[in-house]
Amino acid sequence: MATPQDVDKLTPTDPRMKHCTYTIPTNNKTYHYLLCEPPTPTPVTATCLLIHGFPDLSLGWRYQVPYLLSLGLRVIVPDLPGFGRTDAPKELEAYSFKAVVDDFVVLVRHVLGEGEDHEGERIVLGGHDWGGAVAWRFAMWYPELLRAVFSVCTPFWPASEHYLTKQELVKLLPTFGYQVQFEGTEVEEAVVGREKIRAFLSVMYGASREDGQAVFGVAKGVRIDLLEADKIGESPLLNKEEMEYYADEYVKNGMRGPLCWYKTGRVNFDEERKLLGEGKNKVTVPALMVTASRDAALPPAMAAGMDQYCVDLVKRGVDASHWALWEAPADVNKHIGEFLEGILKGQPLKASI
């Protein structure tokens, strides 16, 4: 079995990726994104938009991008609002699924250009964690713009008829207990400065305290009193160069922006009333769901009912924690590759309008 060390990946200074920015004309929100083109003379078979989650960055897809490039895909990987070099607006509405999906439609059109060569071109879309939720919503709002959608760890759920507070949601999904803490101000007020941010990220990426005490758990969240930088070990999932890059990127916006993603429940609910009104409760494009067997926050059981909401669904699993993109990259890539193989050969690049 291939280990992460055997899988090609982007480095923080990798020449295969170009750092770009684009400001959405309608709202002046500036996005940072990585743009990666297939190596010459590989022909471009499609464009793929990858969306990261929390607490992650565009570089979170570092193990997947080289593989997708080898398949001939042009890859666009933005930092979500609040993260890294993308703007961190004050208003929560800027972080809603619909707002970000609309931004990404404009961003992709910008990257592809407005020329005739790319008019009507449909893309492949992938997401992890919050990025998976955004990907599923993109597929609901704009299915005509997609050839396929895939998600790692994050299952699809339809728009809800009834609003649930975080406290009510946790009664149904106890593994979401940490979200109650993240919705408040405790973490963003306590995790300030590079050392504290680096310690927080290390813990979220699997690092332990030297004395063995648990600093984070999905049921309760982060033990702020135990988040002592000099007592937190190194993450087993990121090397030193990657960890320093992540810490530097997170210092730019701090934790307020990233944590806004846990505060938009009401905004999303209100905006998705339109989906319900239009009877849109299914994913109609080809879909792949990759679950991770040891994901404490999003266990595979959460994806059990997805078949009723997806017209064309493939389900696969990997032996990994929530950080499956990094822990089991060979298996994740294999599942994505097998899923896309038939789609890229069997579907036209452009929609028939």
Side-chain angles (χ1 to χ4, degrees):
M1 178 182 294
T3 66
Q5 289 74 26
D6 299 326
V7 180
D8 185 18
K9 65 174 176 175
L10 298 178
T11 68
T13 58
D14 204 299
R16 290 174 292 183
M17 64 187 189
K18 181 181 178 183
H19 290 270
C20 306
T21 58
Y22 179 67
T23 301
I24 306 298
T26 54
N27 56 32
N28 289 320
K29 198 188 304 180
T30 297
Y31 281 85
H32 164 257
Y33 62 96
L34 305 178
L35 178 60
C36 306
E37 299 280 353
T40 306
T42 307
V44 177
T45 57
T47 296
C48 181
L49 177 68
L50 298 175
I51 313 173
H52 72 83
F54 178 93
D56 206 351
L57 295 165
S58 48
L59 196 65
W61 291 94
R62 57 190 172 276
Y63 284 99
Q64 284 67 50
V65 171
Y67 176 71
L68 292 170
L69 293 177
S70 74
L71 299 181
L73 277 75
R74 172 189 298 110
V75 185
I76 307 166
V77 201
D79 286 338
L80 284 172
F83 293 82
R85 305 179 199 184
T86 291
D87 284 351
K90 292 183 178 179
E91 64 277 8
L92 288 179
E93 290 77 8
Y95 299 84
S96 78
F97 296 147
K98 182 63 163 60
V100 175
V101 165
D102 286 346
D103 288 346
F104 284 166
V105 170
V106 177
L107 175 62
V108 170
R109 285 175 177 161
H110 163 72
V111 174
L112 296 183
E114 300 294 338
E116 186 176 313
D117 286 348
H118 294 289
E119 188 174 351
E121 182 172 330
R122 297 182 297 159
I123 66 169
V124 171
L125 179 63
H128 171 254
D129 190 76
W130 279 122
V134 174
W136 292 126
R137 265 23 192 185
F138 194 124
M140 296 288 283
W141 288 107
Y142 300 108
E144 70 278 6
L145 301 182
L146 301 179
R147 296 176 83 179
V149 60
F150 64 87
S151 176
V152 181
C153 295
T154 311
F156 172 80
W157 64 89
S160 176
E161 295 184 3
H162 305 287
Y163 176 68
L164 296 178
T165 65
K166 283 288 190 296
Q167 290 78 5
E168 292 169 328
L169 182 63
V170 169
K171 291 179 181 178
L172 301 174
L173 299 170
T175 61
F176 279 12
Y178 67 96
Q179 295 196 15
V180 174
Q181 182 194 43
F182 287 3
E183 185 182 40
T185 61
E186 181 184 18
V187 174
E188 66 185 78
E189 291 174 354
V191 183
V192 177
R194 193 181 188 282
E195 283 193 11
K196 209 75 167 182
I197 288 174
R198 190 186 191 283
F200 173 80
L201 293 174
S202 296
V203 165
M204 297 301 291
Y205 303 151
S208 303
R209 266 179 67 102
E210 294 172 355
D211 60 10
Q213 293 190 78
V215 184
F216 173 78
V218 295
K220 298 293 184 182
V222 180
R223 286 279 303 274
I224 298 296
D225 59 314
L226 297 179
L227 194 63
E228 301 171 274
D230 60 343
K231 296 181 180 178
I232 304 295
E234 294 297 322
S235 165
L237 299 174
L238 284 77
N239 62 33
K240 190 176 189 304
E241 181 189 19
E242 293 162 349
M243 192 69 243
E244 299 309 320
Y245 176 85
Y246 269 70
D248 288 342
E249 293 294 296
Y250 265 79
V251 167
K252 299 180 193 305
N253 284 329
M255 297 307 301
R256 182 195 63 82
L259 287 167
C260 281
W261 284 82
Y262 294 90
K263 308 174 195 288
T264 57
R266 184 81 217 190
V267 177
N268 286 326
F269 173 80
D270 289 341
E271 290 182 346
E272 290 177 4
R273 301 296 295 171
K274 185 177 180 181
L275 286 176
L276 285 175
E278 296 175 354
K280 294 181 178 178
N281 66 345
K282 289 188 176 183
V283 176
T284 56
V285 300
L288 168 68
M289 176 69 218
V290 180
T291 59
S293 61
R294 293 179 279 107
D295 190 333
L298 299 167
M302 290 183 63
M306 279 183 58
D307 300 80
Q308 63 183 308
Y309 299 114
C310 298
V311 172
D312 182 5
L313 177 66
V314 175
K315 277 187 178 178
R316 296 292 183 265
V318 296
D319 180 19
S321 73
H322 182 67
W323 301 107
L325 298 179
W326 314 341
E327 274 188 325
D331 290 335
V332 170
N333 291 351
K334 176 176 177 288
H335 294 322
I336 293 172
E338 290 176 349
F339 169 66
L340 291 180
E341 183 179 12
I343 290 168
L344 296 180
K345 289 181 179 178
Q347 284 190 15
L349 181 64
K350 299 179 181 180
S352 177
I353 300 175

